[in-house]
Each structure stands twice: as structure tokens, then as C-alpha cells.
Amino acid sequence: MLLWLTSLLPQPVADQACLATTVYLEARSEPTLGQLAVAEVAMRRRERGRWGDTVCKVVTAPHQFATTTTPGSFDITNLEAFHKAWRIAGRSIRNWQLPIAERKMLVPRADHFATVAITPTWSVNRAGTTIGEHRFYAVN
């Protein structure tokens, strides 16, 4: 429902809602740095344009983020965690509005991540940075 609502919102608000939903679904139990790193991957993908030219298009690209693999009936039940994800999303968007040299990066060049419990085929023989329960990779 929330992602559908973003189609009616002005782009800056829609992007923050889409990014916050992604951070919530992917990393709500992670430390702040892990949540920021998840948001950084989405923002880097938006900047590169390969997965879409808005945050909402990036995070709803098929099979890329939890927004497309989580059942539509899923409810956001932890409002405190969503509020934190909203703040993380806003902070990340503001960071990506800065010139490249001024941005704070946690996982430079990373455009993919996975939980440490799995080893996706695209991650084999690639160095990764681990933050919390996620490992971040530069694939493309």
C-alpha cells in the first residue's frame, strides 16, 4: 500500500518513502551503519541509472530489493523502526545531493549486498565489506 501511495506523492517525498521502506524491509534489525549502507547501495544504483532513474524505480526493480520479494500483505508493525528508517532515508538522500567529493561513503562502489548467511553466485570471488549481518559488494 505504501509503495502504491508513492505514485501519488511528489518525487522527493516518494523517494524518501521508497528508500525508507527498503531500509525497513532489508535492515530494520541492523545497526545504523548497516541501514545507511543499504540506503547507499540504492542511491548508488539510482545515480548509475542502470536500475532506474528514481529511488522508487530502483528499489522496485524486479528481484533486486525486498520491496519486490515481500508479500504485498506485509504490514509495517514496528513504527519505531520505520521512523528510524525514514530518518536514515532522508539522511542518505541529503548525502547524495552533495558533490561526490563531499559525500560520506560507508561502502564505496558497492552496488549489491546480501545477508552473510548466503553466498549468491554473483558474489563468488569478490571482496566484500561486512556491516552487521550484510556483506556489501561492488559487482557492476
Side-chain angles (χ1 to χ4, degrees), residues 111-125:
D111 54 13
H112 284 69
F113 64 89
T115 177
V116 295
I118 64 169
T119 305
T121 55
W122 49 258
S123 70
V124 175
N125 298 321

Side-chain angles (χ1 to χ4, degrees), residues 43-128:
M43 295 303 295
R44 183 168 291 111
R45 285 183 172 205
R46 187 216 21 104
E47 183 173 75
R48 291 182 180 169
R50 180 175 174 192
W51 293 273
D53 60 355
T54 68
V55 174
C56 290
K57 287 179 184 175
V58 167
V59 301
T60 59
H63 312 291
Q64 297 300 308
F65 290 93
T67 52
T68 64
T69 59
T70 302
S73 60
F74 181 85
D75 289 328
I76 293 175
T77 57
N78 185 335
L79 295 181
E80 184 177 330
F82 188 79
H83 186 250
K84 181 179 180 184
W86 183 266
R87 289 191 317 268
I88 294 287
R91 181 175 166 185
S92 296
I93 290 168
R94 285 188 302 279
N95 185 49
W96 281 81
Q97 290 170 339
L98 297 171
I100 292 173
E102 295 178 28
R103 293 179 192 162
K104 292 178 178 58
M105 299 295 165
L106 295 169
V107 287
R109 296 178 300 285
D111 54 13
H112 284 69
F113 64 89
T115 177
V116 295
I118 64 169
T119 305
T121 55
W122 49 258
S123 70
V124 175
N125 298 321
R126 294 187 189 276

Side-chain angles (χ1 to χ4, degrees), residues 7-58:
S7 66
L8 304 174
L9 297 171
Q11 198 59 55
V13 177
D15 280 346
Q16 188 166 352
C18 287
L19 189 57
T21 302
T22 301
V23 169
Y24 178 86
L25 292 174
E26 296 280 6
R28 68 182 167 275
S29 63
E30 293 296 306
T32 298
L33 289 180
Q35 292 184 9
L36 285 165
V38 165
E40 183 178 319
V41 167
M43 295 303 295
R44 183 168 291 111
R45 285 183 172 205
R46 187 216 21 104
E47 183 173 75
R48 291 182 180 169
R50 180 175 174 192
W51 293 273
D53 60 355
T54 68
V55 174
C56 290
K57 287 179 184 175
V58 167

